[in-house]
Amino acid sequence: MIRTLLLSALVAGALSCGLPTNLPQLSRVVGGEEATPNSWPWQVSLQYSSNGQWRHTCGGSLVANNWVLTAAHCISSSRTYRVLLGRHSLSTEEPGSLAVKVSKAVIHEDWNASKLSNGNDIALLKLASSVSLTDQIQLACLPPAGTILANNYPCYVTGWGRLQTNGALPDVLQQGLLLVVDYATCSSPSWWGSSVKTNMVCAGGDGVISSCNGDSGGPLNCQAADGRWQVHGVVSFGSLGCNYYHKPSVFTRVSNYIDWIQKVIANN
């Protein structure tokens, strides 16, 4: 009964997801641009404690009042984590933003750090306390289970990752337009080949715009027909040079893990 009520609450909560109060400025990350402040209000900065300071390591998406979706490869059992919510600038104490400790990390049971190309690079972080939703902090919508995006579907990757290969980390949130590359193309020998599986989404590969180090775990935001933004991907891996031609950013395909996400939240 508790599980049923919780899943009903998740569905009800989803009715108010994916519609930012501050609308993103959309144009045609690496090769990207500064996002409009708080226009991706489910985006969080995952940070770890190091010598008394908090350091950004990955992105993530708020999917429930006390749960964040991120990548499994972002999580180390030896580190203490928190998430920053409602932030645009990582260095500025912005009114309405929150820093909340992570009380539990649940990594997908089939994740293998030595076999990144197997996929399952997904994790859920339980927050130490639930957060209230505001114009700055909102829930991400998740796509219906099994959804496959069409080739060239326009999506936006967002994050505080490096602006170029081995480049600087930005202080403010970046966004970059990426077009989805279908599995048949992305798994072909001249693209990613067998490194890409059907539980992943490829996007980009134009040699200009891509995700990069520090974007891991963050969302691939794609707008549905009803205008809501859905998180279809979790940044997983890319080429050693962040924006190589025909080496698009590779994301964990969220629609493949809807049942897993619901089960973890219900049981924890």
Side-chain angles (χ1 to χ4, degrees), residues 60-234:
S61 303
L62 187 69
V63 295
N65 293 68
N66 61 336
W67 286 94
V68 164
L69 182 68
T70 190
H73 81 260
C74 290
I75 306 304
S76 168
S77 59
S78 64
R79 285 179 169 174
T80 298
Y81 293 98
R82 73 172 188 178
V83 296
L84 273 188
L85 306 102
R87 284 294 267 275
H88 180 62
S89 164
L90 294 182
S91 67
T92 305
E93 292 290 339
E94 296 170 348
S97 66
L98 295 174
V100 183
K101 292 283 187 68
V102 171
S103 63
K104 186 175 187 178
V106 182
I107 294 172
H108 195 279
E109 56 275 12
D110 293 328
W111 162 248
N112 185 334
S114 64
K115 296 181 179 178
L116 182 61
S117 64
N118 282 359
N120 305 308
D121 187 8
I122 191 168
L124 281 165
L125 307 177
K126 187 173 186 179
L127 304 184
S129 58
S130 295
V131 301
S132 297
L133 302 182
T134 66
D135 288 350
Q136 289 173 247
I137 302 171
Q138 295 181 31
L139 300 182
C141 287
L142 302 183
T147 303
I148 303 292
L149 293 171
N151 195 50
N152 287 325
Y153 200 99
C155 299
Y156 282 81
V157 63
T158 51
W160 289 275
R162 296 189 187 280
L163 297 175
Q164 61 189 33
T165 305
N166 298 320
L169 289 166
D171 178 58
V172 296
L173 186 67
Q174 303 289 303
Q175 65 180 40
L177 173 63
L178 299 180
L179 301 183
V180 169
V181 180
D182 63 22
Y183 174 73
T185 302
C186 197
S187 61
S188 64
S190 61
W191 289 65
W192 273 112
S194 61
S195 296
V196 165
K197 306 295 189 294
T198 56
N199 57 10
M200 304 173 186
V201 178
C202 299
D206 63 358
V208 179
I209 299 176
S210 75
S211 60
C212 202
N213 312 84
D215 289 324
S216 289
L220 180 68
N221 305 286
C222 310
Q223 197 166 27
D226 65 359
R228 295 180 188 275
W229 290 92
Q230 298 174 337
V231 173
H232 276 263
V234 174

